[in-house]
Amino acid sequence: WYKLGQNVQLTATPDPGYSFLGWAGDASGSANPLTVLMNAHKTITANFGITNNSGADYQFQLNLNSSVGAPPALQNIGAGNIYVSDSVDGCPRTVLRFPQDNGLLLQPTSGVVPTNVYTIAMLFRFDTVSGFKRVLDFKAGTTDNGLYVYNGALNFYPSASGPAGSVLVSNWVQVVVTRDATDTVAVYAHGVPQLSFTDVTAHGVISTANALR
């Protein structure tokens, strides 16, 4: 509670990856900080939006840096990750190859995946697709939750599984994972829907470790 006639100062502080858009309710404009005269009961909302410079594009051309913006470089998980030449969709490309149990780490994620609403696109192949092959880990290795290839099918454990045959041995596949403002997670392979579910238990939310693996 504030005294009648008192001036109160409000400051809108965006999280990383967001910008302040303006005030709504009993205030308007985009002055920040905002001075409010308390001459009545007031409800004021600060509106935020995702900044245009959030995101990254990691192409693995002999380095782990993004080709756009200035997000953090990826980090190797384990020893033995190497760059090799391969044919991707009929074109010669430099790719990153790593052995079983190795991978990559993005930390912090806040400037690249600033919210729980995101789109992640990946192009990869596996030498074998039998059993569980982890693709994305949102919980910094603390749980088994996340996106897998399981016997050739995309599987977001433990929430949903797609049809068999979407990921073939030694074949490059483009996989896209989205999570929208209604908490719906959807997974696509080569643009074809594979699975979707309402993520009420936040399996597709990056944990407080601020890491994506």
Side-chain angles (χ1 to χ4, degrees):
W1 296 96
Y2 298 98
K3 294 181 181 179
L4 185 65
Q6 180 179 354
N7 283 324
V8 176
Q9 188 176 82
L10 301 179
T11 301
T13 305
D15 286 337
Y18 282 84
S19 60
F20 172 62
L21 300 179
W23 304 101
D26 291 319
S28 60
S30 57
N32 189 27
L34 174 71
T35 300
V36 180
L37 175 63
M38 298 304 297
N39 54 6
H41 292 292
K42 296 189 176 183
T43 301
I44 298 175
T45 302
N47 293 317
F48 301 91
I50 299 175
T51 56
N52 291 330
N53 61 357
S54 60
D57 183 11
Y58 298 99
Q59 298 189 14
F60 308 110
Q61 298 305 289
L62 301 180
N63 64 68
L64 298 179
N65 299 319
S66 171
S67 63
V68 299
L74 297 174
Q75 304 170 50
N76 285 308
I77 299 175
N81 295 359
I82 58 172
Y83 296 100
V84 299
S85 296
D86 203 344
S87 177
V88 181
D89 296 330
C91 298
R93 294 284 292 178
T94 298
V95 301
L96 181 65
R97 182 179 178 88
F98 44 84
Q100 184 173 334
D101 298 326
N102 277 23
L104 295 166
L105 167 68
L106 172 64
Q107 189 178 38
T109 63
S110 52
V112 180
V113 189
T115 71
N116 296 327
V117 177
Y118 55 75
T119 298
I120 300 172
M122 300 163 287
L123 182 66
F124 61 85
R125 70 175 177 86
F126 284 112
D127 292 337
T128 176
V129 296
S130 61
F132 279 99
K133 309 297 180 187
R134 178 166 249 168
V135 178
L136 281 177
D137 169 19
F138 297 86
K139 307 300 183 185
T142 60
T143 74
D144 290 330
N145 301 343
L147 180 66
Y148 293 81
V149 170
Y150 176 59
N151 292 334
L154 288 163
N155 182 299
F156 206 115
Y157 181 83
S159 301
S161 184
S166 59
V167 181
L168 303 176
V169 174
S170 298
N171 281 26
W172 290 95
V173 58
Q174 184 187 64
V175 174
V176 175
V177 182
T178 66
R179 191 177 192 277
D180 66 20
T182 67
D183 299 334
T184 299
V185 171
V187 179
Y188 305 82
H190 292 308
V192 178
Q194 300 296 306
L195 63 91
S196 66
F197 62 95
T198 302
D199 192 22
V200 294
T201 49
H203 293 315
V205 174
I206 294 172
S207 71
T208 55
N210 205 13
L212 183 64
R213 312 196 314 167

